[in-house]
Amino acid sequence: MEWFWPEGFYTLLMIGVFAFAAFVWDMPIAVAMAMAAITGAIAAGEGVPLRHQVEGEFGYVDTILIIATAMVFMKVIQRTGLLESIAAWVIRKFRGYPVLLSLGIMFIIMVPGMITGSSTAAVLTTGALVAPVMMELGVPMLQTAAAISMGALFGMIAPPISIPAMIIGAGVDIPYVGFGMPLLICTVPLAVICSLWLIYPYVRKPRDEASLEAQLAKMSRVPMSLRLFLTVIVLVVLLGGERTLPLYWPSLGMPLSFLLASASGLLSGVRWNPIETVTEAIDEALPVMGILMGVGMFIQIMTLTGVRGFVVVSALALPSWTLYLGIAISMPLFGAVSSFGSASVLGVPFLMALLGQNEIVVASALSLVASLGDLMPPTALAGIFAAQVVGEKNYFKVLRHCMLPALLTVCWGIAVILMAKPIAKLIF
Amino acid sequence: MMTLIYRGIGLFVAAFVLRCMFREKSFWKQVTAAMVLIPLILRILLIK
Amino acid sequence: MRSSRGTALTAAALCVAVALICFVSARSFLAMRLPDPVAPAQGFERYNLSHWFPALKGSPGDSDVYIQDSGVPGGTVFIMGGTHPNEPSGYMAAVVYLERAKVTKGRLIVMPFANATAMGHNSPQEASPQYFSLDVDGGTRWFRYGSRATNPVYQWPAPDIYIHAQSGQKLDGGSKSNLNRAYPGVPDDSLTQQVAYGIIQLLNKEKVDLAFDLHEASPEYPVVNAIVAHNRAMELAAMVSMELEMAGIPMRLEPSPVNFRGLSHREWGDHSDALAILMETGNPSQGRLRGKTDAALAVTGKDKAYLKAAALGRLFIPYEGDQTLDLRTARHVTSMKMFMDMLGDVKEGGDVEVEGIPSFDDMMERGIGAFLSPVEDDRFDGK
Ligand SMILES: [Zn+2]
């Protein structure tokens, strides 16, 4: 009880206020988070600490720029008709090889996550590209969104760039070197299983040829041309160049790269209204940007009032074998405030609790488990955007289909931690 | 130089957030937009 | 409640509210950029880092450097605090030397707040206090509690990945604003890299014999209450570590890892003739396990979450409910004194003699505030 009071009470109070505001008063998630943060601060005798509220928001100021600009990019490739044209082309070309097609789709979803380290980037770029392909091939809407979400997570964790792994590494002073193989071991088996599980069964089924052909013709009404592809080419060159030739290539950063690629869409030969397109993009990105602001306030107040320490030490207090259970449960749950937050706040202490294994392998596995935070409402950066990409309003329906793959991911993550020593012997 | 460009990007995003706020029909969603504006403004001005 | 209508009028009202919030919080953020006044002991002369690297002139990273020359030939010792301004015992130990030292042989260089812009802001979501205070004879002294990183407004945006220029080593992008990953620095890169470059110039041009970089670490971090020494400094550090053990102030000795680049204890030693030493004390107010976070935590180190973590065997320092700033600062101050006393034994003609430094027991008994001078502080008129 001495341990529980008062931080445990603040924890319950903040969660309670959030749930009440969000579900009973039907407030936007962002506002509900802010209200919970303010209530927590007042209860802890801090008044309304304006400086802390605003400072907490800054934890995500770069992230909201990435989200806003990535969303602009997605809207542009939608408006120019590129999305549907590519989808039609891929279907015509690869329909005969369902296994290859399933694996290829999964890989395509993962690529932007692998090079940017951002699941949002994956969902809003190639995720948006393959969504119409998958649905046209007969994958149901919700499975499509689930596959895109999972692919985005695996892409975020897969090498060469895994920001959660870097965050965990930085917390214990291990440089981001030698993470390639461990991260591949963490992600590739899961990606293969998920593509064969969520995509392949539907792709394999024969379809009504005539109606499909009619649909394909409609989708490819904008002829494929180099100019139409310009946006994607520019993006690949900008982001790819920065990653492959870091010493010679200017570091533009994701927001600028997305905007330049979007701007090149003006040369696509298809007419679209830039002002309206950007407004629509920002309007659709605003709820998530707002949620991140609310979460930022929430974390800062958690830290201020001692709730964060209460949560972390309570998780560490679990006895040895339940420590793994603690990792499996607390990291995805805490990921509700973003997977990067989970990697930093819980990943680092867990890694320290597991010192003596191979740290690089364990950090890789922890980052895999932390990635599931991007499925966790309210933020669910991968999941919510995946739902948006397929046109599903209710994210929870998508989440249901992510449950089993997510469970598998957790189990694999824990298994890799348990086998860290033999794995390290094998690869180093 | 890069900082200047990113201040420009911040301004670009903030301007559209403001536009969305004025077109929004629900008050609480306007509040969400306002929450996003605060850090953007302080960063554009290089205060925080 | 969701049904509350939004109109152009409510939007305009929100704009006013946003402006007001920005104004009020901006004042609080900007006030933190004002420097902490110090009262250097007699004999210290003030310089700026730009003295050794002119490109920094007028930049916000042009940190103060103080030199006291005894006039008697001997060695040169460099004391640097404030690499990470969320680690207060580091810069408080430097301030104690700055305000107390009377150098009788050789020279002493003190750079109390190395990463000047990091002193002037806090990291988001850490909920750090902006200031803490100490009682001194005849008044109160205020010091800022800063951030681990250079203020982002001076090197925004952070890259996605930070590539250490000399080795190609990759770290998360945020590490680009970590001074202790930036050495030996780059003259025409971001502010942090320039400051690091300037410090290397200082070490070389002033022919520093022994250099300290003072830090703190989380109590749950394995390298804490520790001396990290460059291989050339190992012999001296081993002697000091033994001496400290006997004095009942144990500090673990760790060799500087060869394969982790950009850190002071590695690059100072490789890029100058100085014997490079980094020291860490245990600071609950920066740890990830800490509970309620405020100025009191920074000064007392009292924390129930750490007490529980200690009972779980998760900590690398002995923790019995507190870890005062007095204790942490005294560890640094005393360890440095021992290093200086033995410097002449390992480096011919390197003797440096400093008087006026309070002993470990004095600092524990009377608090470090007792050894600081009162100063005029415009920031806290009447507080
Ligand atoms: Zn440090």
Side-chain angles (χ1 to χ4, degrees):
Chain A
M1 200 58 200
E2 208 181 315
W3 172 240
F4 181 81
W5 187 264
E7 290 82 0
F9 166 69
Y10 299 155
T11 313
L12 297 179
L13 180 72
M14 286 172 79
I15 294 172
V17 169
F18 166 73
F20 194 82
F23 304 120
V24 180
W25 284 353
D26 210 15
M27 293 276 167
I29 304 287
V31 180
M33 294 295 287
M35 285 179 166
I38 293 172
T39 312
I42 292 174
E46 302 285 346
V48 181
L50 197 62
R51 170 224 149 193
H52 284 297
Q53 309 269 344
V54 175
E55 192 167 282
E57 292 192 321
F58 275 88
Y60 299 115
V61 77
D62 294 317
T63 317
I64 61 173
L65 288 184
I66 294 173
I67 290 176
T69 51
M71 195 59 131
V72 169
F73 175 79
M74 189 193 98
K75 285 289 161 193
V76 170
I77 54 174
Q78 241 173 31
R79 289 274 174 115
T80 55
L82 175 67
L83 275 185
E84 292 194 321
S85 296
I86 292 188
W89 182 81
V90 171
I91 294 171
R92 286 217 171 91
K93 204 85 183 162
F94 291 102
R95 272 194 65 221
Y97 317 94
V99 173
L100 197 69
L101 187 59
S102 311
L103 292 176
I105 287 176
M106 189 49 104
F107 180 70
I108 292 172
I109 299 171
M110 285 170 69
V111 168
M114 293 162 72
I115 55 173
T116 63
S118 153
S119 63
T120 314
V123 173
L124 291 182
T125 55
T126 50
L129 280 175
V130 299
V133 180
M134 291 165 71
M135 290 194 282
E136 203 46 55
L137 283 168
V139 185
M141 186 163 79
L142 297 177
Q143 270 83 347
T144 303
I148 292 174
S149 316
M150 296 312 295
L153 296 194
F154 302 145
M156 170 170 78
I157 297 307
I161 302 299
S162 167
I163 293 180
M166 285 184 182
I167 291 174
I168 297 176
V172 288
D173 280 348
I174 40 179
Y176 188 66
V177 176
F179 276 81
M181 269 313 277
L183 289 172
L184 283 178
I185 291 172
C186 285
T187 51
V188 170
L190 289 169
V192 170
I193 291 171
C194 279
S195 74
L196 296 181
W197 179 3
L198 293 168
I199 307 173
Y200 176 71
Y202 306 99
V203 179
R204 192 185 52 171
K205 283 190 197 132
R207 304 255 307 162
D208 174 359
E209 285 298 324
S211 87
L212 181 65
E213 191 43 53
Q215 191 63 31
L216 288 179
K218 213 168 88 193
M219 282 168 68
S220 49
R221 65 185 179 282
V222 183
M224 296 243 283
S225 66
L226 201 62
R227 280 172 77 192
L228 190 60
F229 265 100
L230 199 60
T231 43
V232 174
I233 295 170
V234 170
L235 188 71
V236 167
V237 169
L238 290 180
L239 289 180
E242 189 170 338
R243 293 290 181 266
T244 47
L245 305 165
L247 294 180
Y248 310 101
W249 201 270
S251 172
L252 299 182
M254 275 189 263
L256 183 54
S257 304
F258 277 125
L259 281 188
L260 290 176
S262 306
S264 71
L266 289 168
L267 307 175
S268 65
V270 182
R271 290 175 66 85
W272 53 282
N273 180 333
I275 303 279
E276 285 313 316
T277 307
V278 176
T279 308
E280 187 188 322
I282 300 290
D283 201 48
E284 282 184 28
L286 254 180
V288 175
M289 290 159 71
I291 288 169
L292 285 172
M293 296 301 99
V295 167
M297 290 184 191
F298 193 87
I299 298 188
Q300 179 114 358
I301 301 299
M302 276 177 78
T303 314
L304 181 70
T305 56
V307 166
R308 185 175 118 177
F310 173 79
V311 171
V312 173
V313 176
S314 295
L316 284 180
L318 297 166
S320 56
W321 67 269
T322 42
L323 182 68
Y324 296 103
L325 200 64
I327 293 172
I329 294 169
S330 67
M331 285 189 79
L333 276 183
F334 196 88
V337 303
S338 97
S339 57
F340 295 175
S342 177
S344 166
V345 172
L346 286 169
V348 175
F350 276 131
L351 178 56
M352 286 182 178
L354 291 164
L355 284 181
Q357 316 277 350
N358 180 288
E359 281 103 40
I360 293 178
V361 176
V362 174
S364 305
L366 287 173
S367 67
L368 176 69
V369 179
S371 75
L372 291 170
D374 278 359
L375 293 178
M376 195 66 202
T379 49
L381 285 184
I384 287 182
F385 284 127
Q388 238 172 58
V389 161
V390 300
E392 169 60 58
K393 287 246 155 41
N394 185 352
Y395 166 58
F396 285 90
K397 288 189 188 160
V398 176
L399 183 60
R400 256 204 353 249
H401 290 272
C402 294
M403 277 318 218
L404 280 178
L407 194 67
L408 188 72
T409 306
V410 168
C411 293
W412 183 236
I414 300 294
V416 171
I417 294 175
L418 290 172
M419 298 184 298
K421 270 185 187 160
I423 290 177
K425 220 177 227 156
L426 204 69
I427 57 178
F428 290 125
Chain B
M1 178 61 188
M2 213 42 161
T3 305
L4 199 65
I5 293 173
Y6 268 77
R7 289 170 79 183
I9 294 177
L11 191 64
F12 175 80
V13 173
F16 281 95
V17 170
L18 200 65
R19 184 164 198 238
C20 292
M21 185 163 104
F22 272 90
R23 293 168 134 210
E24 179 58 59
K25 291 287 177 290
S26 151
F27 174 69
W28 292 108
K29 287 188 182 168
Q30 288 182 330
V31 174
T32 306
M35 284 167 62
V36 175
L37 275 178
I38 294 169
L40 287 176
I41 291 171
L42 289 172
R43 181 51 61 87
I44 295 164
L45 297 175
L46 294 186
I47 287 170
K48 176 74 186 169
Chain C
M1 267 177 102
R2 181 81 166 263
S3 56
S4 309
R5 282 273 309 280
T7 61
L9 200 66
T10 55
L14 283 171
C15 286
V16 175
V18 166
L20 208 66
I21 292 171
C22 286
F23 181 74
V24 173
S25 53
R27 278 176 53 126
S28 160
F29 295 138
L30 291 176
M32 252 196 99
R33 294 195 199 164
L34 295 175
D36 300 299
V38 288
Q42 224 178 10
F44 273 112
E45 272 186 68
R46 207 190 88 168
Y47 298 82
N48 286 93
L49 192 55
S50 55
H51 182 75
W52 295 273
F53 178 42
L56 279 173
K57 189 140 197 100
S59 95
D62 196 5
S63 191
D64 292 342
V65 179
Y66 301 83
I67 302 183
Q68 188 180 151
D69 191 338
S70 66
V72 180
T76 299
V77 170
F78 174 66
I79 296 178
M80 188 173 100
T83 294
H84 294 147
N86 60 334
E87 302 170 0
S89 87
Y91 52 90
M92 289 316 298
V95 169
V96 168
Y97 270 85
L98 179 64
E99 304 200 354
R100 301 295 300 188
K102 184 173 186 320
V103 185
T104 53
K105 190 168 195 185
R107 291 195 311 159
L108 178 62
I109 307 178
V110 180
M111 187 180 190
F113 309 115
N115 193 348
T117 73
M119 290 294 300
H121 77 118
N122 295 110
S123 301
Q125 304 181 356
E126 289 297 324
S128 308
Q130 290 179 306
Y131 308 92
F132 61 89
S133 66
L134 298 171
D135 292 331
V136 305
D137 280 343
T140 305
R141 283 282 293 268
W142 292 85
F143 292 93
R144 290 173 293 169
Y145 186 103
S147 158
R148 187 177 169 79
T150 304
N151 192 333
V153 303
Y154 302 117
Q155 55 184 71
W156 190 53
D160 298 326
I161 312 296
Y162 164 47
I163 298 167
H164 181 248
Q166 287 77 14
S167 64
Q169 166 184 282
K170 283 182 191 160
L171 290 170
D172 66 296
S175 291
K176 183 150 193 194
S177 50
N178 180 346
L179 180 57
N180 203 25
R181 300 291 179 276
Y183 299 107
V186 182
D188 55 356
D189 197 359
S190 303
L191 186 61
T192 314
Q193 282 60 40
Q194 290 188 313
V195 170
Y197 183 81
I199 291 167
I200 296 286
Q201 302 311 303
L202 182 157
L203 292 174
N204 280 312
K205 287 182 188 152
E206 298 303 322
K207 302 197 166 40
V208 170
D209 297 297
L210 172 62
F212 297 100
D213 182 14
L214 304 176
H215 287 253
E216 299 204 74
S218 320
E220 71 273 21
Y221 183 65
V223 184
V224 61
N225 278 355
I227 300 170
V228 188
H230 187 264
N231 36 332
R232 284 192 294 107
M234 267 318 253
E235 185 192 352
L236 176 62
M239 285 157 55
V240 170
S241 172
M242 254 155 50
E243 197 83 1
L244 283 167
E245 185 83 45
M246 281 191 282
I249 319 167
M251 292 281 263
R252 263 185 283 273
L253 179 58
E254 308 258 351
S256 166
V258 188
N259 58 356
F260 194 8
R261 300 291 306 275
L263 292 102
S264 58
H265 46 74
R266 158 82 12 225
E267 311 290 347
W268 287 8
D270 286 355
H271 292 88
S272 83
D273 289 331
L275 301 176
I277 301 290
L278 179 146
M279 293 197 289
E280 306 262 14
T281 55
N283 172 22
S285 68
Q286 74 178 106
R288 280 181 168 77
L289 313 186
R290 69 177 184 273
K292 187 175 169 57
T293 305
D294 56 12
L297 178 61
V299 174
T300 65
K302 267 200 189 112
D303 185 86
K304 76 182 232 194
Y306 270 107
L307 199 57
K308 187 175 172 87
L312 294 168
R314 297 278 183 213
L315 305 187
F316 291 85
I317 60 170
Y319 186 83
E320 285 158 4
D322 66 7
Q323 193 75 190
T324 62
L325 183 59
D326 294 328
L327 166 71
R328 285 139 52 199
T329 306
R331 274 182 175 280
H332 278 321
V333 169
T334 309
S335 309
M336 286 193 288
K337 189 72 173 54
M338 285 187 184
F339 268 103
M340 286 184 225
D341 290 344
M342 295 186 187
L343 177 59
D345 300 345
V346 296
K347 201 149 186 175
E348 198 149 338
D351 302 76
V352 173
E353 283 170 14
V354 178
E355 291 172 1
I357 302 303
S359 74
F360 187 83
D361 293 336
D362 279 348
M363 283 181 276
M364 290 305 288
E365 207 168 291
R366 299 172 54 198
I368 54 169
F371 302 96
L372 302 178
S373 320
V375 296
E376 289 277 316
D377 194 339
D378 304 334
R379 300 173 301 174
F380 296 96
D381 275 343
K383 269 198 201 170

